[in-house]
Amino acid sequence: RKEVEQDPGPFNVPEGATVAFNCTYSNSASQSFFWYRQDCRKEPKLLMSVYSSGNEDGRFTAQLNRASQYISLLIRDSKLSDSATYLCVVNIGSWGKLQFGAGTQVVVTP
Amino acid sequence: NAGVMQNPRHLVRRRGQEARLRCSPVKGHSHVYWYRQLPEEGLKFMVYLQKENIIDESGMPKERFSAEFPKEGPSILRIQQVVRGDSAAYFCASSPLVQGSNEKLFFGSGTQLSVL
């Protein structure tokens, strides 16, 4: 079983629509959670951290469910520029030894 | 204020040759991490270094791979006697020496290694 699992997609989303997807993690000792964005296998860029109470950053909302060990990302009012691969990332330690999911591809269409 | 600089961007090697990948962290950052991304897979942790010290190399293959972060100069990931399976994107990341912030990593653009 992979440590961080994601639906690879692609999720084809009309511009302006909402899309949501999850990831699950296997290590219950995981301490920190993030969503990163990766374009065409370029460097991953931090999109947002994920907090236990859930958090929002503009059109992006992240949720964490520790009991079920999953994280979700919701994108509202999708833009063409949101097309990317979204990486679910888990940190089980106190420093940057991150565990990455393989990514969920989102394709926003006009 | 330059970010993490990696070079070369693309590196082509024949089987059996050596590959040297360089990473200059963000100025002032003393923690460097190397990750590898195989095709169709997520990034996998390889090694975590501080200046002149290897802190965690649990993700490094036992043979042919080595990493260093000297007191002066960039961090180097060295792969000896490369094989086709080493073809991947190698990403370097850095973080500052501030407790609790080590998880905020700044990634370089990566080196795409192709082994012929």
Side-chain angles (χ1 to χ4, degrees), chain A residues 7-21 78-80 83-84 104-110:
Chain A
D7 181 342
F11 285 67
N12 294 298
V13 186
E15 195 175 3
T18 296
V19 61
F21 41 88
S78 298
K79 311 291 184 192
L80 295 176
S83 297
T104 295
Q105 186 183 7
V106 172
V107 179
V108 182
T109 55

Side-chain angles (χ1 to χ4, degrees), chain B:
Chain B
N1 188 17
V4 177
M5 304 298 292
Q6 288 189 248
N7 67 82
R9 291 292 303 274
H10 301 276
L11 181 61
V12 180
R13 285 287 178 266
R14 296 190 181 280
R15 281 179 297 171
Q17 291 184 318
E18 178 179 288
R20 280 181 178 247
L21 287 62
R22 296 175 189 78
C23 168
S24 296
V26 173
K27 188 176 181 181
H29 285 191
S30 56
H31 301 245
V32 166
Y33 313 82
W34 284 94
Y35 285 79
R36 175 167 68 173
Q37 186 173 30
L38 296 170
E40 309 303 323
E41 294 189 15
L43 279 75
K44 294 288 192 289
F45 168 80
M46 298 183 75
V47 62
Y48 164 40
L49 309 108
Q50 295 179 16
K51 284 285 187 180
E52 301 184 276
N53 285 306
I54 297 174
I55 307 302
D56 184 328
E57 56 181 348
S58 57
M60 288 273 274
K62 298 299 180 198
E63 297 178 352
R64 302 186 299 107
F65 284 72
S66 62
E68 63 176 7
F69 188 18
K71 187 176 181 181
E72 302 291 339
S75 175
I76 306 288
L77 178 68
R78 182 181 176 206
I79 311 172
Q80 295 178 289
Q81 299 174 324
V82 295
V83 300
R84 289 216 174 106
D86 297 333
S87 296
Y90 291 81
F91 290 99
C92 172
S94 72
S95 67
L97 181 59
V98 177
Q99 189 171 9
S101 74
N102 288 356
E103 57 202 24
K104 286 187 172 52
L105 302 187
F106 297 79
F107 280 88
S109 300
T111 294
Q112 180 64 52
L113 172 65
S114 299
V115 180
L116 304 178

Side-chain angles (χ1 to χ4, degrees), chain A residues 2-3 32 34 36 38 41-46 49 51 87 91 93-103, chain B residues 33 35 37-45 48 56 58 88-89 91 102-105 107-110 112:
Chain A
K2 292 182 180 177
E3 292 158 332
S32 308
F34 311 90
Y36 275 72
Q38 187 176 32
R41 290 178 67 83
K42 295 181 180 177
E43 72 273 25
K45 294 182 179 176
L46 179 63
S49 301
Y51 302 117
L87 308 176
N91 187 352
S94 59
W95 48 266
K97 186 177 179 180
L98 305 178
Q99 294 177 333
F100 284 79
Chain B
Y33 313 82
Y35 285 79
Q37 186 173 30
L38 296 170
E40 309 303 323
E41 294 189 15
L43 279 75
K44 294 288 192 289
F45 168 80
Y48 164 40
D56 184 328
S58 57
F91 290 99
N102 288 356
E103 57 202 24
K104 286 187 172 52
L105 302 187
F107 280 88
S109 300
Q112 180 64 52

